[in-house]
Amino acid sequence: RMRAGTAGLAAIGAVATGSFGELLLADGLLRLGRSAEALEVLERTLGAVRSRGERTSESELLRVTAEALVHAGGDPEVVDGLLAEARTAARGIGARTAELHVAMSRARIGSRDRHEARTQLEEAIAAIAQETDEADIHEARALLGTATAKYDSGERGELSR
């Protein structure tokens, strides 16, 4: 339905969604278990964002791409690389909420370097605790507890949304 609505708006010359709308579409596809389609949307959108120099959504696109790769059974090294790139992009524009989301994804996914993932989540919580939505902080703190328990047990996490 999202695609049909976007196509209808485009047919009358309206700008339908932009990168944020495509990000929502990809997230919806992931929730439906359609990771290959989500990856296509994300790849296309990330390319467009980069060609326009639109840095505001780059970190979120990279983060969701990493999550889509996890769903698709992608290489953990590539996933970690995308999350590192997403963190750098968020920091580059001072987007603390996006940086928190990246740290939360790393904790949820179960990064190869669990200690670093836990440390980044702690740092992101501390940096943003006074500036963000309480729900984000609550979820991040819950993930920190889970990440700590997984780190202590040596377990790699599973992505759950």
Side-chain angles (χ1 to χ4, degrees):
R1 286 189 271 189
M2 287 178 75
R3 285 185 175 155
T6 300
L9 287 171
I12 62 170
V15 175
T17 58
S19 59
F20 183 70
E22 294 296 295
L23 183 61
L24 292 176
L25 173 61
D27 188 59
L29 289 167
L30 275 179
R31 290 173 190 269
L32 293 172
R34 295 161 59 181
S35 56
E37 289 175 78
L39 284 166
E40 288 174 18
V41 170
L42 291 161
E43 183 179 337
R44 180 185 68 243
T45 306
L46 189 57
V49 160
R50 286 181 167 163
S51 72
R52 291 189 305 258
E54 181 187 321
R55 299 183 59 207
T56 57
S57 59
E58 184 178 24
S59 66
E60 284 294 297
L61 288 164
L62 289 164
R63 180 186 67 77
V64 176
T65 300
E67 291 192 6
L69 279 174
V70 169
H71 281 284
D75 182 349
E77 276 190 48
V78 174
V79 170
D80 278 351
L82 284 167
L83 291 172
E85 190 178 353
R87 182 176 189 231
T88 299
R91 283 189 158 189
I93 61 169
R96 289 186 179 170
T97 300
E99 191 175 345
L100 177 66
H101 290 168
V102 172
M104 291 167 64
S105 286
R106 286 193 80 192
R108 225 184 344 261
I109 289 168
S111 172
R112 289 179 312 124
D113 186 343
R114 290 180 299 275
H115 176 71
E116 182 183 341
R118 185 179 66 186
T119 300
Q120 284 180 10
L121 185 55
E122 289 170 339
E123 290 171 358
I125 291 169
I128 199 170
Q130 310 243 342
E131 300 176 18
T132 193
D133 182 276
E134 195 61 35
D136 277 347
I137 293 299
H138 180 72
E139 183 181 352
R141 286 187 175 135
L143 280 168
L144 182 58
T146 301
T148 299
K150 287 180 181 176
Y151 175 75
D152 292 345
S153 71
E155 177 185 342
R156 183 168 170 88
E158 294 295 322
L159 182 67
S160 62
R161 293 169 70 63

